[in-house]
Amino acid sequence: MLDLALEDRAGSAPRRCIEKNPNQAGNMSFSRIVYSNNMTPRGKRILGKSIVVTIVAVVATFGLSFTARLGLQMPIDWLSWVECTFIPILIGMPVSAFIFTQAETIQETCDKLEKSYTALREAHDRLTFVSSHDPMTGLLSRGEFIARMDRKRDEGECDTLLLIDPDHFSMINDQHGHSKGDEALVRIAKALVYLTRPGDSIGRLGGEEFGVLLRSARKEQAGTIAENIRRLIEAGPMAKGQQDGVKVTVSIGGAEISPDADAQDVLRTAGRCLFEAKQRGRNRVSFDYESAKLRAVTP
């Protein structure tokens, strides 16, 4: 029993010391934390470089000092050894550590700036895309589409503009709801993307009207592409006779764009051709119009 009591007292003594001296225990823990924090990869790099520089400084000091003393026939005593050892350490170690610390700080700052620049550039690209594209269809916005129409063209170069408008679209919204109308617009946009060429531009010009800018395409080639678009939309999945299906057809008007043409004049010409297609029964392509017969029609 006496041995157990002594063991218990001996085992509890350290605990009592810690309880009586909480500040001492806290200081020990703090010193461990500081030491572990100082030995980060960054600290190891700085320490390693500083040690290398200090060793080089010590070796160089020994070489220069002893060479000078031998040349001047001065004795090499213990003081010479102390000077050549401790002076480079006392000066070289802190100076090199300071220099390498500043270098690491500058490098970290440059890395942060590069990451910030990359994030800013990505945000700018996303903002540019959002501002120049229609959010529902992913096509170009009206402003971006017209800007591409205004590009400079060489002599003899000719583009063609197509205006595509779904037939009886207001009826689709009234009878089937706006969700079906939006679905129809998305399907039209997909058909336009599928049948146009890589260099062509496609935009949603407003509401249910779409525009296609065919690069370096004359009226004959543009007419073929427009007819293929009309047929694909007419035969699309939503044009089948399901119970919840929607009959979707489009009318298309086109106009050539000469090198000196004005974008607004071309839009007006293509719009008149589009109205001409509507007047002739819809679900057709028109590149010609008769101004005397133009009248307002229901889209």
Side-chain angles (χ1 to χ4, degrees):
M1 295 294 291
L2 181 59
D3 294 338
L4 293 175
L6 291 173
E7 290 178 2
D8 180 68
R9 290 179 181 178
S12 61
R15 288 195 296 273
R16 288 177 186 148
C17 291
I18 294 176
E19 291 173 358
K20 291 179 180 179
N21 300 283
N23 294 332
Q24 181 180 357
N27 292 333
M28 292 171 63
S29 300
F30 179 76
S31 63
R32 291 194 189 99
I33 293 173
V34 170
Y35 178 77
S36 62
N37 286 340
N38 286 338
M39 294 310 292
T40 57
R42 178 177 183 268
K44 291 179 180 179
R45 288 195 302 270
I46 295 172
L47 180 60
K49 293 177 181 179
S50 300
I51 291 174
V52 172
V53 171
T54 303
I55 292 174
V56 173
V58 171
V59 173
T61 303
F62 269 108
L64 293 174
S65 179
F66 285 10
T67 301
R69 287 177 179 273
L70 292 175
L72 298 174
Q73 297 181 354
M74 296 175 60
I76 299 176
D77 52 7
W78 65 271
L79 184 59
S80 302
W81 289 89
V82 172
E83 291 176 350
C84 294
T85 302
F86 288 100
I87 291 178
I89 293 176
L90 294 176
I91 297 177
M93 193 69 178
V95 171
S96 60
F98 174 78
I99 293 174
F100 290 130
T101 301
Q102 296 301 314
E104 289 285 337
T105 303
I106 293 173
Q107 183 61 45
E108 290 177 358
T109 303
C110 291
D111 293 340
K112 291 179 181 179
L113 287 175
E114 185 176 357
K115 291 180 181 178
S116 300
Y117 173 76
T118 301
L120 183 61
R121 183 175 59 186
E122 292 176 354
H124 177 267
D125 292 340
R126 289 194 298 268
L127 182 61
T128 301
F129 181 86
V130 170
S131 63
S132 62
H133 288 73
D134 175 61
M136 185 175 72
T137 62
L139 303 180
L140 296 175
S141 63
R142 180 182 179 88
E144 181 67 20
F145 184 84
I146 294 178
R148 297 195 181 189
M149 283 181 59
D150 285 333
R151 74 178 186 90
K152 293 183 178 181
R153 297 172 178 83
D154 298 331
E155 188 67 27
E157 186 180 9
C158 183
D159 299 340
T160 299
L161 171 67
L162 300 180
L163 292 184
I164 299 96
D165 190 86
D167 300 323
H168 302 294
F169 186 74
S170 58
M171 188 181 300
I172 295 176
N173 282 332
D174 294 340
Q175 295 181 358
H176 303 277
H178 289 279
S179 60
K180 284 293 184 181
D182 293 343
E183 186 178 346
L185 294 179
V186 171
R187 289 186 176 273
I188 293 173
K190 290 181 178 179
L192 297 178
V193 173
Y194 179 75
L195 288 176
T196 50
R197 304 163 302 174
D200 299 334
S201 300
I202 312 168
R204 184 182 178 190
L205 304 186
E208 66 272 18
E209 188 177 61
F210 297 87
V212 176
L213 180 62
L214 300 174
R215 296 286 298 271
S216 302
R218 291 285 181 177
K219 177 179 176 180
E220 294 75 15
Q221 183 182 4
T224 301
I225 296 174
E227 185 62 28
N228 291 336
I229 292 173
R230 185 197 66 79
R231 291 177 180 178
L232 179 62
I233 295 173
E234 182 183 22
M238 290 193 66
K240 296 179 180 179
Q242 297 98 346
Q243 184 177 358
D244 59 344
V246 179
K247 180 68 174 179
V248 180
T249 60
V250 295
S251 298
I252 302 176
E256 288 187 347
I257 307 176
S258 59
D260 57 347
D262 180 72
Q264 296 301 323
D265 292 338
V266 176
L267 283 171
R268 280 191 291 268
T269 302
R272 291 170 180 172
C273 293
L274 175 62
F275 280 117
E276 182 75 11
K278 298 279 189 183
Q279 287 181 351
R280 293 180 179 178
R282 298 181 176 83
N283 191 23
R284 65 185 64 241
V285 177
S286 176
F287 278 81
D288 301 303
Y289 68 93
E290 298 180 22
S291 58
K293 295 182 179 180
L294 285 179
R295 54 185 175 82
V297 295
T298 303

